[in-house]
Amino acid sequence: SDLYLKFYSKTEERWIYYQASHTAVKFMSKTQFDIEEKIIKEFEFTVSDEMFKKINQFCYDNVGKPYGFLGILGLGICLTLKFFGISMHNPFKDKGSTYWCSELIAALIEDIGIDIAMELADITSRDLYTIVANLPENIG
């Protein structure tokens, strides 16, 4: 499951989608996103102009980074071991040099000053769903 950030750009008069998928962190148009993805659930937030600027800065600072294949493999190892009652942290932490979808959005949330109370490398899609579902509707 892919997780993404969607925002409207007044300058371009377009919806912009920001995600880590396939090979990299990237921006996508609504048309291309709709071809490649199926939306299951979206959350809507109102952000201040200053917060919107901070979110955009994070996006631009991280666009083009490689997809975190090793990190997602490490997450899979952790989830498999958890099934057998063994708990461990993701062994492939790269501190933001790569991202996978849930890690990218969690890093963005942390970057804007919201504590997610988990290590980024351990964030699953389910964890992020819970975090996002509990965010206030107005941010910043």
Side-chain angles (χ1 to χ4, degrees):
S1 62
D2 283 341
L3 299 142
Y4 58 91
L5 171 71
K6 175 178 107 175
F7 59 92
Y8 190 77
S9 172
K10 291 179 184 176
T11 307
E12 285 78 23
E13 298 179 351
R14 299 282 187 278
W15 283 103
I16 308 294
Y17 292 78
Y18 179 74
Q19 66 174 346
S21 69
H22 306 295
T23 60
V25 174
K26 59 189 171 186
F27 291 104
M28 295 178 78
S29 68
K30 178 177 179 4
T31 303
Q32 191 61 35
F33 187 85
D34 288 346
I35 290 169
E36 294 186 22
E37 307 293 348
K38 179 181 178 191
I39 297 172
I40 308 269
K41 174 79 175 163
E42 284 188 333
F43 295 93
E44 188 172 319
F45 301 96
T46 302
V47 297
S48 66
D49 288 344
E50 185 60 34
M51 187 61 66
F52 188 70
K53 178 180 177 181
K54 191 169 181 140
I55 290 168
N56 273 281
Q57 287 171 336
F58 176 91
C59 292
Y60 285 111
D61 289 346
N62 291 284
V63 72
K65 287 188 177 178
Y67 187 82
F69 290 107
L70 276 179
I72 203 76
L73 174 65
L75 191 59
I77 291 168
C78 293
L79 292 173
T80 301
L81 291 175
K82 187 176 182 179
F83 179 77
F84 294 105
I86 301 168
S87 180
M88 69 178 275
H89 291 289
N90 191 331
F92 301 114
K93 299 174 191 168
D94 62 13
K95 297 184 177 39
S97 61
T98 69
Y99 284 112
W100 64 89
C101 56
S102 55
E103 184 189 34
L104 176 68
I105 302 304
L108 187 153
I109 291 169
E110 274 198 343
D111 188 71
I112 63 171
I114 298 172
D115 183 21
I116 60 167
M118 287 186 74
E119 287 195 37
L120 291 177
D122 294 334
I123 295 285
T124 66
S125 298
R126 185 171 296 191
D127 295 327
L128 189 61
Y129 180 92
T130 302
I131 291 164
V132 172
N134 288 296
L135 291 174
E137 288 182 20
N138 294 303
I139 301 175

